[in-house]
């Protein structure tokens, strides 16, 4: 072991190669070098680092092999492994196991990003991948020509604008042959004269020192071909050939210079396109879409190379037939200009497209290609459509993998669906997946992109949150993925037909299945109704009985309350009302919650009902939603308490009215109590009507209709959010209605003050009544015994006590008048604020239907101009 530790990693790697191959160290040199390159590389799997997805793939692989028992065992072992902290890199271990289980004898479906474009270009048939050049091929140029040897290829020299070309094979140019790096020898000059006729850029600068100028050519229709121009080799100081061939500078006429310049543009365009493809072909970060774009450009360049090969073959045929190359050759510059016209137009289009696509990748690159296809030229449109088919093929593969399997293998962020692996499961629906808007191809609408996002998100939500193990193939019939870029082109060109139908079918089936699971397995609609009955006080008998039971507890100081006592009272109220018939799944979630206690708070101020949510339904009832429900419950509970207090006030007045008839001195103060109580009852009844019917019932009806018509979970969440926002706003709980809410709370405080004042009045009045009754009873008993009913001293004492009570009545009247004044002032300010909001003006009219407050406050009277304006608008 010590000897093994002393060995270097290279020695150990070489020994491993020998062990695997069974060869000696000298025979495994090639394998050893390859192993060193692999270990030193930065290869990474092109899948998302999601432990759940890898484990699902392993289980799918086991199920494909009909090893259901092994799949169940693996699932159990993986579950146990997740509960322990032994391994820190579980995903890496699982990915290794997945890689080991793949059969090495089968061809892999994964294509490395660096070779995706090249493999795609080689794998697809010619009639699918490329569109033909639209040029008139000369009848004299045969398309079938004999195979040329490597020597003939190497001896062909192209200069200037297309100096990287010479004679190319059908598959495009390969690496530069060694003969071109050193230059041909003098014996190859004769052979190179034929190849030099493809050098279309003729320099017009003065010839170097010592060069002999060629004779001036004549210009005309029968101008000699480019091969008539002499050439020389460019050498260094030592006489060695160091570069490509170049022409001697010769004086040319203007037409010949123009023709040569137009031909030279072909080389410039070719180099521009080739530079782009060479710089991006090996760039892994360019992604699959970018590699497909490079593959499409390579295919178009191959067609260009094909034309050059045909032209060069024609030159060879003429040379073999003994044609005088300088006089009788058919390949003149003008003919060459005609034959290369259409390829030049295509190269111009490709070069412009390359410029437009600089700095783009993924869906943004596909959008750029699609935008460039909006042209009136049918040939150019066909070219762009062909390139778009190749470019959009990886996007469509991403899309199908996402909508049919819920898997997102987008290592280089090319797809328009983005994933955040740091988001936890409870926020999967809201935060984990989103649209990468910059990557949405322009040929895919925003509505289609949203549906694509929802489909894959629904599949992952079912698996990871709902723990539904139904295979995606049983949720919806899997559609055949695109087999070729031609299929992708046809699909994307029919966005409102085949593509839309595929997206719609997957969207409707997946969303319907998800809603069925939520409604049947997790009772989503029942929980929604429970929120309405308990947190929004829709279960009237339960709320009333609960208030009756809680009254002795809640009148105490908030610091003296105990939650377990209140929970017991809650359970008693449930058993005594119709709430007992609700599902146990709902009742076990209903609980009591005590809010934060402030100094001076009573139990009424801190008591609240709570409803526990977890699992999939927490996606709809989020923490923000539950906080909104808590705010609305506290408001409704306080308003319901006001109604409860006014009911007790009315009952006290009705019960004590007959008892206090014998005390006529109280008639005035009792009348004030009755009048003020009637005002308060009217106000609270109108507010309760507004809250119950105009706010809660109308909003609930809209919500229920939307939920019944919802096509996906997002529709339900959006409708629920609108429902909560609506009741928050219309119950005056939002920021814009803060002043109205403050006035309403002040009204509630005045009602509580009035209850205390009336209770004090009735308590003192009943005590006085009881003393008077006792005095009269004693007086009657003494008379029945034949004695004087009352002595002078007793009568004087009684009169003094009665007078003292009567002296307190003006103080009670003053207190009630002051309370009435404050109450009416608050109501008048509340009505004035209501008039500023058009949606609340009808509530203002109902609160002051007889214009009692309007007569007291001139601010509540509309101006004459406003009245005329309303009348004219009505007319």
């Amino acid at each position: 072991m010590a000897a093994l530790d002393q060995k270097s990693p290279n020695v150990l790697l070489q020994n491993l190669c020998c062990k695997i191959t069974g060869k000696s160290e000298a025979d495994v040199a090639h394998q050893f070098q390859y192993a060193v390159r692999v270990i030193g590389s930065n290869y990474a799997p092109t899948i998302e680092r999601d432990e759940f997805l890898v484990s699902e793939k392993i289980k799918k692989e086991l199920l494909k092999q009909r090893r259901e028992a092994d799949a169940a065992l693996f699932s159990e072992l993986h579950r146990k492994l997740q509960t322990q902290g032994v391994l820190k890199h579980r995903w890496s271990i699982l990915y290794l196991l997945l890689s080991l289980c793949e059969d090495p004898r089968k061809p892999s479906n994964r294509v490395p990003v660096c070779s995706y474009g090249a493999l795609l270009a080689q794998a697809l048939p010619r009639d699918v991948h490329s569109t033909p050049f639209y040029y008139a091929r000369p009848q004299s140029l045969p398309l079938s020509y004999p195979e040329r040897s490597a020597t003939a290829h190497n001896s062909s020299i192209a200069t200037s604008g297309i100096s990287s070309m010479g004679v190319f094979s059908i598959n495009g140019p390969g690496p530069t042959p060694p003969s071109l790096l050193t230059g041909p020898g003098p014996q190859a000059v004769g052979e190179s004269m034929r190849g030099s006729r493809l050098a279309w850029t003729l320099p017009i600068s003065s010839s170097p020192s010592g060069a002999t100028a060629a004779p001036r050519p004549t210009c005309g229709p029968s101008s000699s071909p480019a091969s008539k121009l002499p050439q020389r080799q460019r050498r260094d100081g030592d006489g060695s050939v160091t570069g490509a061939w170049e022409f001697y500078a010769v004086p040319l006429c203007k037409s010949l210079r123009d023709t040569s310049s137009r031909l030279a543009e072909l080389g410039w365009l070719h180099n521009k396109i080739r530079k782009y493809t060479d710089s991006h072909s090996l760039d892994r970060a360019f992604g699959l879409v970018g590699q497909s774009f490079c593959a499409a450009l390579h295919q178009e360049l191959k067609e260009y190379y094909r034309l050059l090969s045909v032209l060069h073959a024609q030159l060879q045929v003429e040379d073999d037939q003994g044609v005088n190359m300088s006089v009788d050759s058919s390949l003149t510059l003008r003919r060459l200009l005609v034959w290369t016209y259409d390829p030049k137009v295509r190269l111009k289009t490709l070069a412009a497209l390359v410029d437009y696509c600089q700095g783009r990748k993924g869906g943004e690159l596909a959008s750029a290609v699609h935008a460039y296809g909006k042209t009136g030229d049918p040939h150019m449109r066909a070219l762009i459509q062909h390139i778009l088919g190749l470019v959009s093929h990886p996007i469509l593969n991403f899309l199908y993998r996402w909508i049919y399997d819920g898997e997102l293998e987008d290592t280089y962020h090319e797809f328009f669906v983005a994933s955040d692996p740091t988001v936890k499961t409870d926020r999967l629906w809201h935060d984990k997946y989103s649209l990468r808007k910059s990557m949405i191809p322009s040929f895919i609408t925003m509505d289609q992109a949203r549906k694509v996002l929802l489909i894959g998100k629904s599949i992952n939500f079912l698996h990871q949150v709902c723990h539904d193990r139904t295979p995606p193939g049983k949720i919806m019939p899997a559609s055949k993925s695109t087999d070729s870029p031609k299929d992708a082109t046809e699909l994307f060109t029919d966005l409102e037909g085949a593509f839309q139908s595929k997206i719609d079918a997957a969207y409707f089936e997946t969303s319907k299945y998800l809603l069925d699971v939520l409604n049947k397995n997790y009772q989503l609609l029942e929980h929604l109704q429970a929120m309405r009955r308990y947190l929004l006080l829709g279960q009237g008998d339960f709320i009333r009985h609960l208030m009756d039971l809680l009254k002795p507890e809640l009148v105490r100081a908030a610091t003296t309350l105990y939650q377990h006592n209140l929970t017991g009272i809650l359970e008693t109220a449930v058993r005594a009302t119709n709430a007992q018939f609700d599902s146990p799944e709902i009742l076990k979630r209903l609980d009591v919650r005590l809010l934060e206690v402030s100094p001076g708070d009573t139990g009424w101020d801190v008591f609240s009902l709570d409803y526990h949510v977890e699992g999939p339904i927490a996606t709809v009832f989020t923490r923000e939603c539950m906080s909104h429900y808590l705010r609305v419950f506290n408001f409704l509970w306080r308003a319901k308490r006001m109604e409860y207090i006014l009911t007790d006030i009315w009952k006290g007045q009705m019960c004590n009215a007959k008892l206090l008839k014998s005390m006529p001195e109280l008639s005035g103060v009792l009348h004030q109590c009755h009048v003020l109580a009637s005002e308060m009852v009217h106000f609270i009844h109108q507010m309760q009507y507004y809250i119950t019917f105009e706010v809660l019932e109308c909003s609930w009806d809209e919500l229920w209709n939307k939920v019944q018509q919802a096509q996906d979970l997002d529709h339900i969440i959006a409708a629920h959010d609108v429902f909560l926002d609506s009741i928050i706003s219309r119950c005056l709980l939002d920021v814009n209605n803060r002043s109205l809410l403050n006035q309403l709370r002040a009204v509630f405080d005045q009602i509580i003050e009035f209850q205390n004042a009336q209770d004090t009045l009735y308590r003192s009045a009943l005590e006085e009544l009881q003393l008077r009754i006792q005095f009269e009873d004693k007086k009657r008993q003494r008379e029945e015994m034949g004695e004087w009913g009352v002595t002078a001293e007793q009568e004087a004492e009684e009169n003094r006590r009665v007078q003292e009570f009567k002296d307190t009545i003006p103080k009670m009247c003053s207190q009630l008048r002051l309370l009435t004044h404050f109450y009416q002032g608050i109501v008048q300010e509340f009505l004035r604020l209501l008039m500023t909001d058009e949606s609340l003006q009808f509530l203002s009219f109902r609160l002051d239907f007889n214009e009692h407050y309007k007569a007291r406050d001139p601010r509540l009277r509309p101006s004459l101009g406003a009245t005329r304006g309303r009348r004219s608008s009505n007319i």
Side-chain angles (χ1 to χ4, degrees):
M1 180 61 69
L4 183 61
D5 293 338
Q6 294 176 358
K7 293 183 178 180
S8 65
N10 290 339
V11 174
L12 294 176
L13 183 59
Q14 189 175 24
N15 293 341
L16 179 61
C17 294
C18 295
K19 184 68 175 177
I20 294 176
T21 59
K23 299 179 181 180
S24 63
E25 294 183 359
D27 296 333
V28 297
H30 179 70
Q31 290 84 351
F32 171 68
Q33 293 177 359
Y34 178 74
V36 169
R37 289 200 304 271
V38 171
I39 292 178
S41 66
N42 57 349
Y43 290 161
T46 60
I47 65 173
E48 182 182 355
R49 291 179 176 269
D50 195 325
E51 179 184 350
F52 175 78
L53 292 179
V54 178
S55 63
E56 288 296 315
K57 289 182 180 180
I58 294 177
K59 285 187 281 188
K60 287 180 181 178
E61 187 66 27
L62 292 174
L63 292 176
K64 287 181 181 178
Q65 301 174 9
R66 298 184 178 180
R67 297 166 59 186
E68 290 79 2
D70 292 341
L73 178 60
F74 171 79
S75 180
E76 180 65 21
L77 293 176
H78 181 233
R79 185 187 63 80
K80 292 180 179 179
L81 183 62
Q82 287 178 316
T83 59
Q84 299 177 1
V86 179
L87 295 179
K88 295 183 180 179
H89 304 286
R90 292 195 301 269
W91 177 89
S92 301
I93 300 298
L94 292 176
Y95 185 75
L96 174 62
L97 295 177
L98 176 62
S99 302
L100 292 176
C101 77
E102 295 179 348
D103 190 351
R105 294 171 296 179
K106 295 181 179 180
S108 175
N109 291 329
R110 296 188 179 91
V111 180
V113 67
C114 60
S115 62
Y116 181 88
L119 292 180
L120 183 65
Q122 296 175 9
L124 301 178
R126 285 295 313 157
D127 58 345
V128 172
H129 279 291
S130 64
T131 54
F133 274 123
Y134 299 94
Y135 64 89
R137 185 169 55 248
Q139 299 297 327
S140 60
L141 295 181
L143 290 180
S144 60
Y145 48 89
E147 293 291 330
R148 304 196 58 193
S149 63
T151 305
H153 280 282
N154 294 341
S155 63
S156 302
I157 307 300
T159 64
S160 187
I162 50 173
S163 60
S164 62
M165 296 190 302
V167 178
F168 299 100
S169 63
I170 298 300
N171 292 327
T176 305
S179 60
L180 291 184
L181 297 177
T182 60
Q187 69 277 8
V189 175
E191 288 293 327
S192 66
M193 292 296 290
R194 291 197 306 271
S196 66
R197 305 176 72 182
L198 293 180
W200 297 319
T201 306
L202 303 180
I204 60 176
S205 60
S206 59
S207 59
S209 175
T212 303
R216 182 181 182 90
T218 59
C219 298
S222 59
S223 298
S224 60
S227 58
K228 297 179 181 179
L229 299 177
Q231 303 176 10
R232 68 175 177 88
Q233 297 179 14
R234 181 161 51 95
R235 300 177 179 271
D236 289 340
D238 58 356
S240 60
V241 179
T242 60
W245 292 77
E246 65 181 16
F247 289 100
Y248 282 109
V250 293
L252 298 175
C253 65
K254 185 178 183 302
S255 63
L256 192 58
R257 284 200 308 269
D258 293 342
T259 303
S260 302
S261 298
R262 292 165 66 184
L263 288 173
E265 188 179 359
L266 282 165
W268 183 85
L269 294 172
H270 165 269
N271 289 348
K272 185 180 185 65
I273 300 169
R274 187 63 184 269
K275 180 180 179 181
Y276 179 87
T277 58
D278 290 346
S279 62
H280 291 86
S281 294
L282 299 180
D283 184 8
R284 297 182 63 195
F286 198 37
L288 300 182
V289 177
Q291 297 302 323
S292 298
F293 181 56
C294 291
L297 295 177
H298 274 300
Q299 287 184 9
E300 298 302 327
L301 291 179
K302 283 169 62 178
E303 295 294 336
Y304 179 61
Y305 303 147
R306 193 186 302 270
L307 171 64
L308 298 184
S309 299
V310 170
L311 296 175
H312 195 275
Q314 178 66 20
L315 287 178
Q316 185 181 14
V317 169
E318 292 180 355
D319 184 57
D320 295 341
Q321 294 177 352
V323 177
N324 189 343
M325 305 295 289
S326 62
V327 178
D328 300 329
S329 175
S330 61
L331 191 60
T332 63
L333 288 179
R334 292 192 177 183
R335 291 181 180 179
L336 187 62
L337 186 65
V338 173
W339 293 333
T340 58
Y341 175 79
D342 285 319
K344 181 179 177 181
V345 173
R346 295 171 70 89
L347 289 178
K348 279 186 177 181
T349 303
L350 297 178
L353 183 60
V354 164
D355 283 338
Y356 188 65
C357 294
Q358 288 287 349
R360 304 174 190 263
K361 60 179 288 187
E364 188 180 9
L365 176 60
S367 298
V369 176
H370 178 258
Y372 224 79
K374 298 176 180 179
T375 175
D377 188 342
H379 301 326
M380 294 302 101
R381 187 166 59 249
L383 170 64
I384 298 301
Q385 287 294 333
H386 163 64
I387 296 176
L388 181 62
L390 289 172
V391 170
S392 60
H393 188 252
I395 296 178
L396 206 58
N397 286 336
F398 286 143
L399 189 146
Y400 279 163
R401 192 72 177 271
W402 171 249
I403 66 175
Y404 291 120
D405 297 326
E407 298 178 0
L408 189 62
E409 297 185 0
D410 184 20
T411 306
Y412 302 103
H413 309 297
E414 303 173 86
F415 194 42
F416 56 83
V417 175
S419 173
D420 186 357
T422 62
V423 176
K424 296 182 179 180
T425 305
D426 58 340
R427 296 293 300 177
L428 181 144
W429 186 269
H430 296 282
D431 299 332
K432 185 166 186 178
Y433 302 105
S434 60
L435 283 178
R436 192 182 287 118
K437 294 185 178 180
S438 62
M439 291 297 171
I440 299 179
S442 57
F443 45 82
I444 295 180
T445 64
M446 184 59 68
D447 181 66
Q448 292 171 340
R450 188 189 71 86
K451 289 183 178 180
V452 169
L453 172 66
L454 286 177
I455 294 168
K457 188 164 63 171
S458 299
I459 295 175
N460 284 279
F461 185 82
L462 284 168
H463 290 169
Q464 301 183 39
V465 181
C466 299
H467 305 291
D468 184 86
R469 300 304 178 188
T470 304
K474 293 185 178 180
I475 298 177
M476 56 182 168
S479 173
K480 180 181 76 69
S481 62
T482 54
D483 293 333
S484 68
K486 182 179 180 181
D487 297 333
T489 304
E490 294 176 354
L491 196 63
F492 281 136
T493 52
D494 189 16
L495 292 176
E496 298 181 356
F499 181 74
Q500 184 69 41
S501 63
K502 287 178 181 288
I503 297 299
D504 288 343
Y507 166 75
F508 288 124
E509 292 294 333
T510 307
S511 299
K512 181 178 180 298
Y513 184 81
L514 173 59
L515 294 182
D516 289 343
V517 169
L518 289 176
N519 290 329
K520 294 178 181 178
N521 299 350
Y522 296 96
Q523 302 177 352
L524 174 61
L525 298 183
E526 286 77 3
H527 289 298
L528 192 61
Q529 291 175 330
M531 295 286 184
R532 171 69 180 94
R533 289 197 301 270
Y534 297 112
L535 297 189
L536 300 182
L537 311 188
Q539 190 78 21
D541 60 333
F542 167 76
I543 297 299
R544 179 68 189 188
H545 190 58
L546 180 63
M547 278 192 167
D548 291 337
L549 297 178
L550 288 174
K551 182 178 179 181
E553 291 286 333
L554 298 185
V555 294
R556 297 161 48 190
T559 55
T560 63
L561 297 180
Y562 295 98
Q563 188 167 354
H564 61 275
N565 294 338
L566 301 179
T567 303
I569 296 175
L570 174 65
E571 294 175 354
T572 303
V574 169
R575 290 193 298 269
T577 59
N578 288 330
Q580 63 181 314
F581 301 110
D582 271 341
S583 169
E585 177 67 20
I586 292 176
L587 294 178
K588 74 178 183 181
R589 297 175 181 269
L590 193 61
D591 198 3
V592 170
R593 180 176 181 177
L594 294 178
L595 306 179
E596 185 178 352
V597 180
S598 299
D601 283 348
T602 64
W604 291 104
D605 299 318
V606 298
F607 174 82
S608 176
L609 288 181
D610 197 9
Y611 196 86
H612 300 291
V613 291
E614 69 274 344
I617 63 171
T619 301
V620 178
F621 304 106
T622 60
R623 293 181 180 179
E624 294 80 6
C625 292
M626 297 309 298
S627 66
H628 289 335
Y629 274 113
L630 183 60
R631 290 181 61 194
V632 176
F633 173 83
N634 291 332
F635 173 77
L636 297 178
W637 180 259
R638 190 173 178 86
K640 183 63 71 174
R641 182 193 172 196
M642 297 301 107
E643 183 180 356
Y644 189 80
I645 289 174
L646 290 174
T647 301
D648 289 344
I649 290 175
W650 179 83
K651 288 193 299 185
Q653 290 177 350
M654 294 301 102
C655 294
N656 296 322
K658 293 182 179 181
L659 294 177
L660 299 179
K661 280 185 177 181
S662 59
M663 302 175 67
E665 65 272 16
L666 292 177
S667 60
V669 67
L670 292 180
H671 177 71
Q672 289 184 17
C673 289
H674 289 177
V675 172
L676 183 56
S678 298
E679 290 187 31
M680 292 181 174
V681 168
H682 171 72
F683 183 89
I684 293 299
H685 281 180
Q686 293 302 321
M687 288 300 302
Q688 284 284 17
Y689 176 87
Y690 166 76
I691 294 170
T692 303
F693 295 101
E694 295 190 19
V695 177
L696 294 180
E697 288 300 328
C698 293
S699 300
W700 173 259
D701 184 66
E702 293 178 2
L703 170 64
W704 192 253
N705 290 335
K706 290 180 180 178
V707 168
Q708 296 294 328
Q709 299 172 5
Q711 296 179 348
D712 56 54
L713 183 57
D714 264 355
H715 288 167
I716 294 180
I717 294 175
H720 185 246
D721 290 342
V722 170
F723 167 73
L724 287 179
D725 292 340
S726 174
I727 61 177
I728 286 287
S729 174
R730 300 176 68 183
C731 285
L732 314 179
L733 299 177
D734 59 345
V735 178
N736 297 330
N737 294 314
R738 190 179 300 276
S739 56
L740 275 171
L741 182 61
N742 292 335
Q743 294 298 318
L744 187 59
R745 288 175 176 173
V747 171
F748 292 166
D749 292 338
Q750 292 300 311
I751 292 175
I752 296 175
E753 290 290 336
F754 175 64
Q755 182 192 29
N756 296 332
Q758 180 174 283
D759 288 346
T760 302
L761 170 63
Y762 280 133
R763 187 164 49 251
S764 60
L766 290 177
E767 289 177 359
E768 177 64 23
L769 179 62
Q770 188 66 26
L771 292 175
R772 292 184 184 184
I773 292 175
Q774 291 177 0
F775 179 78
E776 293 297 330
D777 289 343
K778 289 181 181 180
K779 181 179 178 181
R780 188 169 48 256
Q781 289 176 4
R782 293 171 71 91
E783 289 177 351
E784 290 176 355
M785 294 174 60
E787 299 179 357
W788 293 101
V790 62
T791 63
E793 295 179 356
Q794 292 175 343
E795 186 174 6
E797 179 66 22
E798 178 68 14
N799 291 336
R800 183 183 61 79
R801 185 185 55 75
V802 171
Q803 186 61 38
E804 289 180 355
F805 173 76
K806 290 181 179 180
D807 291 341
T808 61
I809 293 177
K811 182 179 180 181
M812 295 180 185
C813 291
S814 298
Q815 184 180 2
L816 284 175
R817 282 196 298 269
L818 185 62
L819 186 62
T820 302
H821 175 74
F822 279 126
Y823 171 77
Q824 291 179 347
I826 295 172
V827 172
Q828 289 169 10
E829 179 64 19
F830 183 75
L831 293 175
R832 188 184 67 81
L833 293 174
L834 287 179
M835 293 181 64
T836 60
D837 191 341
E838 294 183 357
S839 62
L840 298 175
Q841 287 184 358
F842 191 61
L843 173 61
S844 174
F845 168 75
R846 289 204 307 271
L847 291 174
D848 192 22
F849 70 98
N850 59 355
E851 299 186 352
H852 170 73
Y853 297 104
K854 186 181 297 184
R856 294 172 174 269
D857 191 350
R859 295 178 301 175
L860 298 178
R861 303 170 190 170
S863 63
L864 184 61
T867 304
R868 289 179 176 176
R870 283 197 297 270
R871 288 178 179 177
S872 61
S873 62
N874 293 333
I875 293 175

